[in-house]
Amino acid sequence: MSQGSQHGKWTISSSDDDDEDLPPSGTKTNKPHRPAKTTGGQGSASPFSLKLEPVSATVEVKPEPDKTRVSSLVTVSEARQAAAVSQLNPVKYQSSPSLAGKRKKEVSDSSGWALSDTDDDDGEVKVEIKRPPSPHGRLYYIDEPEDFFESSIPCLNDTYRFYLNKVTGLDRKYNSGALHIKDILSPLFGTLKESVQFNYCFDIEWMVKQYPSEDRPVLIVHGDKREAKARLVQQAQPFPHVRFCQAKLDIAFGTHHTKMMLLWYEEGFRVIILTSNLIRADWYQKTQGMWMSPLFPRLPKGSSASAGESPTFFKRDLLEYLASYRAPELEEWIQRIKEHDLSETRVYLIGSTPGRYVGSDMERWGHLRLRKLLYDHTEPIPGEERWPVIGQFSSIGSMGLDKTKWLAGEFQRTLTTLGKSSVRPEPPMHLLYPSVEDVRTSLEGYPAGGSLPYSIQTAQKQLWLHSYFHRWKADTTGRSHAMPHIKTYMRVSPDFTELAWFLVTSANLSKAAWGALEKNNTQMMVRSYELGVLYVPSTFNMKTFPVHKNPFPVSSSSLGFPVPFDLPPTCYSAKDRPWIWNISYSQAPDTHGNIWVPS
């Protein structure tokens, strides 16, 4: 099977039958296309041939990794190290002129660039961060305009409390009402006493510099093990105020992918649920999103256990999510949350935590949790079979040989739930994922693809999926060239002017993130920690959310919802191909004059 584009044609030498269902933790498998479990950075990956045309050579991606280079990897699972080897330093400098003007000539002296998060079952990797994680060098992100950071409380949308990150290189208006991490942690939003950072990727030194003071205690909740954990702890040695809590990952190929801040101020308490890793590269030229809670005041002493609850039961659900970690380090935070009034919250919490769930517990986590909330808190809409479902994400797991295996059989049924209607129509489903051309012409150029880890091994088994794909275009928010690391899901009207609901989350398009049914649909298995918030019109006293056609500059009380990309979505053309991160793109240079050649 093959696919072609202006960037070349990739051909896979063999195709396996679908066997994406991984064994339970501890079960051995001899299936040939899975990387074998490794020790000390050695292992084997699936052998396949890659052919780029018109380049005449055939590049063999070899199963044995280069042992001299694996030491720079910080992997979530040793079994995935082989998949990461060919990703190191794929950017090559061309003699052709830069498409964006003079090319940056300084090459990073770090051991590799940052591969951002993914929950792709076929290979999730991290790279140790010592320098700013950009292949374009140390100066790449250090040219913010003078007004990039806020000096006074910005004008924010207090209706939805949904914000995008600031992006360097945009017209000023597109950063008006957007937030940088330094803004979020600044005294503008409260006098910070202590905080917790839940995340997947960390650059501790960079993170500490984002705080206004370096002596406020910070608890890091992470999923790293063994060597990766040791390296993370080593990063924090110069910072005695940084402590760690390791999330339990008892199911194979799971990750701690949740991204949340708990901020305790002298004035109260705040929760932020977001899509950005705590690394420099995630905060400057990618599109990210976040929900920022109101400032929750402290309850009067002697308040009842049920005091401070919101109509969406956010407080109960947040406490339940934190309790799922079974971590002593979080107990004091659980107690603090109990002591605060969260009643102003208008969103629902949707989390995933690793485990196998039966009975009513199946609806506590993952996509069945979303299905339950949509069933209980939305209403059927006349003509809803014409209301498309949109999913937008930055990584893709293995879906199976055809759509019935999981995408339509489970996930689409969840996304199409509207109230208690017994009719289950099949409306259109649009999936937004950047094309090769989107990445090539982005602000970062090809290195943006390091945060879009859709692998050839996965893609070649599910070519059927690509018919759902739509381009990343975001002219309304000024972010067409800021590649998405945000993940959003929504139900939209046929004319794309209204939303039936909207979700921002850390969860990509994968079974590991959303869960998959087992044992004849009597058990739900979830591999990873994920977290997001669901907007339902009824909690805002509305029937639908109007789509904001011009969300920037931000208005403090706009009733239009600021969808982060353009509607209607743009379908892939016959020439468009989804970005695949572990094959070469050498026929056309990117915006910095570079090509992409995985070794």
Side-chain angles (χ1 to χ4, degrees):
M1 58 184 72
S2 66
Q3 289 201 354
S5 75
Q6 61 178 307
H7 304 286
K9 184 168 75 174
W10 49 265
T11 303
I12 304 303
S13 59
S14 63
S15 176
D16 300 318
D17 289 335
D18 178 58
D19 55 357
E20 81 285 358
D21 294 320
L22 298 172
S25 179
T27 301
K28 294 183 178 180
T29 177
N30 295 319
K31 291 176 180 177
H33 78 281
R34 289 287 171 205
K37 187 172 182 179
T38 62
T39 303
Q42 300 179 28
S44 61
S46 167
F48 63 90
S49 297
L50 166 66
K51 187 177 181 181
L52 282 166
E53 296 178 356
V55 179
S56 58
T58 297
V59 180
E60 293 289 335
V61 180
K62 299 183 179 180
E64 184 67 18
D66 181 347
K67 298 175 184 177
T68 64
R69 299 171 67 181
V70 169
S71 61
S72 68
L73 293 177
V74 180
T75 58
V76 175
S77 166
E78 289 177 353
R80 301 183 185 183
Q81 289 183 348
V85 173
S86 64
Q87 307 313 319
L88 296 177
N89 300 321
V91 179
K92 307 297 180 184
Y93 287 80
Q94 291 275 79
S95 59
S96 58
S98 169
L99 302 183
K102 186 175 181 180
R103 184 173 71 238
K104 305 283 195 304
K105 293 185 178 180
E106 180 183 3
V107 182
S108 172
D109 58 359
S110 66
S111 58
W113 46 256
L115 301 180
S116 192
D117 57 23
T118 164
D119 47 24
D120 183 344
D121 295 347
D122 287 317
E124 181 166 7
V125 297
K126 299 182 192 174
V127 172
E128 185 176 8
I129 301 161
K130 295 180 180 177
R131 290 280 189 164
S134 164
H136 302 299
R138 292 185 303 105
L139 301 179
Y140 187 52
Y141 298 114
I142 311 176
D143 53 0
E144 303 96 347
E146 290 183 5
D147 58 355
F148 191 71
F149 304 113
E150 298 290 350
S151 58
S152 59
I153 296 177
C155 179
L156 298 175
N157 186 317
D158 294 326
T159 303
Y160 300 112
R161 311 193 67 86
F162 171 68
Y163 311 111
L164 300 181
N165 65 308
K166 291 181 177 178
V167 175
T168 55
L170 300 188
D171 186 287
R172 179 177 177 177
K173 76 173 184 178
Y174 293 117
N175 283 328
S176 172
L179 294 170
H180 185 71
I181 183 172
K182 192 169 284 188
D183 300 329
I184 296 166
L185 298 173
S186 75
L188 295 173
F189 294 104
T191 310
L192 202 57
K193 295 169 64 175
E194 198 168 336
S195 62
V196 188
Q197 295 285 357
F198 295 72
N199 222 299
Y200 170 69
C201 264
F202 297 86
D203 178 344
I204 301 297
E205 181 181 6
W206 178 84
M207 180 201 76
V208 167
K209 289 179 180 178
Q210 308 314 303
Y211 282 84
S213 173
E214 294 187 4
D215 60 355
R216 298 289 183 251
V218 181
L219 178 64
I220 300 291
V221 182
H222 66 95
D224 287 340
K225 300 177 181 179
R226 297 180 290 275
E227 293 87 351
K229 178 181 177 182
R231 276 187 280 262
L232 189 62
V233 172
Q234 185 180 24
Q235 281 189 50
Q237 281 186 345
F239 311 107
H241 64 291
V242 175
R243 299 182 297 119
F244 292 97
C245 171
Q246 182 177 342
K248 297 176 175 65
L249 289 165
D250 299 327
I251 298 182
F253 300 99
T255 62
H256 183 260
H257 204 244
T258 289
K259 296 164 177 61
M260 174 170 64
M261 302 183 188
L262 302 180
L263 306 177
W264 184 36
Y265 306 101
E266 291 181 7
E267 301 87 353
F269 174 78
R270 194 187 304 276
V271 180
I272 298 173
I273 295 172
L274 65 165
T275 65
S276 309
N277 286 287
L278 289 177
I279 60 175
R280 179 186 292 265
D282 268 27
W283 286 90
Y284 283 88
Q285 295 200 308
K286 301 185 191 303
T287 300
Q288 309 275 12
M290 70 194 80
W291 170 79
M292 176 189 283
S293 79
L295 181 64
F296 299 131
R298 192 178 181 92
L299 288 166
K301 287 188 176 181
S303 296
S304 68
S306 60
E309 186 56 273
S310 75
T312 61
F313 293 97
F314 184 88
K315 185 174 184 177
R316 176 201 67 188
D317 294 335
L318 179 60
L319 291 171
E320 182 181 21
Y321 176 79
L322 295 177
S324 74
Y325 283 83
R326 309 186 304 279
E329 299 91 341
L330 292 174
E331 285 301 320
E332 61 181 329
W333 285 93
I334 289 174
Q335 187 57 41
R336 282 172 186 159
I337 293 169
K338 289 179 179 178
E339 295 169 356
H340 285 80
D341 181 357
L342 277 62
S343 61
E344 291 300 309
T345 311
R346 301 168 85 177
V347 295
Y348 291 93
L349 192 70
I350 296 181
S352 292
T353 62
R356 289 178 166 86
Y357 304 98
V358 298
S360 60
D361 286 346
M362 293 170 65
E363 296 179 331
R364 291 171 60 195
W365 312 110
H367 77 83
L368 289 189
R369 160 74 171 164
L370 174 59
R371 186 183 299 184
K372 173 68 171 170
L373 289 172
L374 294 177
Y375 182 82
D376 289 341
H377 302 292
T378 62
E379 296 293 334
I381 295 175
E384 67 180 72
E385 68 279 358
R386 296 184 294 112
W387 282 59
V389 168
I390 296 178
Q392 175 271 310
F393 37 82
S394 62
S395 180
I396 306 168
S398 187
M399 302 283 106
L401 276 181
D402 59 62
K403 68 179 184 179
T404 66
K405 294 292 190 266
W406 182 79
L407 185 68
E410 286 186 46
F411 194 51
Q412 188 172 4
R413 184 185 171 195
T414 288
L415 298 181
T416 55
T417 298
L418 270 183
K420 298 174 175 60
S421 172
S422 58
V423 179
R424 295 284 179 161
E426 288 195 15
M429 182 161 66
H430 307 315
L431 301 180
L432 270 66
Y433 179 77
S435 70
V436 174
E437 190 67 5
D438 292 333
V439 174
R440 187 184 73 84
T441 59
S442 70
L443 291 167
E444 296 174 280
Y446 287 131
S451 298
L452 300 164
Y454 189 25
S455 72
I456 189 70
Q457 296 95 325
T458 302
Q460 64 95 10
K461 294 185 295 180
Q462 53 193 36
L463 298 181
W464 59 266
L465 179 66
H466 302 173
S467 65
Y468 291 91
F469 284 173
H470 291 66
R471 298 279 297 269
W472 171 259
K473 290 189 179 297
D475 290 344
T476 57
T477 58
R479 286 160 171 78
S480 286
H481 298 296
M483 288 299 94
H485 191 259
I486 190 174
K487 296 90 172 148
T488 55
Y489 303 83
M490 67 202 77
R491 189 82 180 267
V492 63
S493 62
D495 62 0
F496 297 94
T497 63
E498 300 173 83
L499 300 179
W501 54 267
F502 179 91
L503 170 67
V504 59
T505 177
S506 63
N508 281 303
L509 187 68
S510 83
K511 294 185 290 185
W514 285 105
L517 291 168
E518 299 178 327
K519 296 186 176 180
N520 198 27
N521 298 343
T522 63
Q523 177 173 282
M524 169 68 96
M525 188 269 284
V526 181
R527 297 184 187 278
S528 297
Y529 291 91
E530 307 280 357
L531 203 60
V533 296
L534 172 68
Y535 292 83
V536 172
S538 59
T539 63
F540 292 80
N541 298 316
M542 303 165 74
K543 290 190 175 181
T544 59
F545 297 125
V547 172
H548 202 321
K549 295 182 179 179
N550 296 292
F552 286 100
V554 165
S555 168
S556 61
S557 59
S558 172
L559 295 180
F561 199 94
V563 175
F565 47 82
D566 296 346
L567 294 174
T570 300
C571 191
Y572 274 26
S573 72
K575 293 183 178 180
D576 286 325
R577 294 293 175 263
W579 170 261
I580 293 173
W581 76 330
N582 57 345
I583 63 175
S584 298
Y585 300 102
S586 58
Q587 291 189 324
D590 68 9
T591 48
H592 297 271
N594 303 323
I595 60 174
W596 182 264
V597 186
S599 56

